[in-house]
Amino acid sequence: DWESVSKHAHSLKSCSANVGAMQVASLSHELESACREKRDDHVPALYSQLRSLLQSAVEELQSISESPD
């Protein structure tokens, strides 16, 4: 469902930008745009890249939150 994926990518773009995960935000924007344009030739690769990048960002945020001050 193009619209659903586009909406989720938009939300992820905003949330990731709020926590400073700018690469995730940028790739989310690309995915959102590809979905709006119904670019099924780009969406699977963007989704895969985003998943990997998001996992790394989450791990980084967890390590920051677990670091003693």
Side-chain angles (χ1 to χ4, degrees), residues 20-35:
M22 301 314 291
Q23 289 180 320
V24 174
S26 177
L27 202 53
S28 297
H29 175 73
E30 288 183 49
L31 179 59
E32 179 186 10
S33 295
C35 287

Side-chain angles (χ1 to χ4, degrees), residues 15-66:
C15 292
S16 57
N18 285 338
V19 297
M22 301 314 291
Q23 289 180 320
V24 174
S26 177
L27 202 53
S28 297
H29 175 73
E30 288 183 49
L31 179 59
E32 179 186 10
S33 295
C35 287
R36 274 196 253 130
E37 296 169 7
K38 298 181 178 168
R39 299 286 314 263
D40 58 354
D41 56 329
H42 289 5
V43 170
L46 288 171
Y47 178 78
S48 179
Q49 291 173 334
L50 184 57
R51 258 182 85 111
S52 177
L53 192 57
L54 185 57
Q55 182 175 349
S56 296
V58 167
E59 290 170 4
E60 181 66 26
L61 289 169
Q62 286 175 332
S63 72
I64 290 170
S65 70
E66 294 169 358

